[in-house]
Amino acid sequence: MTAPLPVSFRTQVVGAALLDDARRPTALLAAQRAYPPALRGLWEFPGGKQEPGEGCEAALVRECAEELGADVELLAEVPGPHAQGWPLKDTAAMRVWTGVLAAGSPAPAAGEDHLAVRWVRLDDDAAVLALPWIPADLPIVRALLEQLRG
């Protein structure tokens, strides 16, 4: 039996499942964490914490600019099991949107938060799932793959 989800998480995190094409995606951008030490080297969706007074989508656009140096256009949310998205831990949850690079955006680059960024081909679900994802992101990756197939 699983514990009930909290009514509200204190920390709202946002993440971007950036695709190479809005209509016929063939690749997903993954970012390799630089820190904390326990997560160093694992892969994740780029993003970060929502600031007070900031909407989730605005926070995600800001985070992508700060972390990746890229301008993004958000598409559809990858719905989670909670109103605040996907539980990360007892105090935080993450909402995730698909998105694409905006026209004229520089290519995404690893900044201070990441060791590397790379495009992962979407034609082999097993290969995408085999990437060493942060454990909290793995259910989101599975849901994203299902959403893209649907």
Side-chain angles (χ1 to χ4, degrees):
M1 183 171 155
T2 60
L5 294 173
V7 172
S8 180
F9 294 94
R10 283 195 312 263
T11 303
Q12 182 67 64
V13 178
V14 291
L18 294 178
L19 306 169
D20 64 335
D21 187 84
R23 294 192 179 153
R24 296 192 179 181
T26 62
L28 166 71
L29 187 78
Q32 189 178 37
R33 289 290 297 254
Y35 61 87
L39 300 177
R40 183 178 174 84
L42 298 179
W43 295 83
E44 69 173 355
F45 295 107
K49 292 179 185 171
Q50 179 183 357
E51 299 293 334
E54 185 177 45
C56 286
E57 292 170 279
L60 188 50
V61 169
R62 174 187 52 76
E63 285 285 346
C64 288
E66 290 175 3
E67 287 189 5
L68 305 172
D71 299 319
V72 300
E73 294 178 9
L74 302 181
L75 302 171
E77 187 168 1
V78 181
H82 189 273
Q84 286 179 264
W86 300 86
L88 301 177
K89 53 187 175 180
D90 290 343
T91 60
M94 181 165 68
R95 291 180 67 187
V96 175
W97 278 265
T98 58
V100 294
L101 295 176
S105 174
E112 295 178 13
D113 295 334
H114 297 108
L115 300 172
V117 294
R118 79 176 203 207
W119 292 100
V120 180
R121 295 211 37 91
L122 289 168
D123 57 358
D124 181 357
D125 287 5
V128 174
L129 293 168
L131 197 65
W133 291 94
I134 290 174
D137 282 13
L138 194 53
I140 309 168
V141 174
R142 286 188 183 104
L144 171 67
L145 292 171
E146 287 180 29
Q147 182 172 318
L148 293 174
R149 301 292 175 253

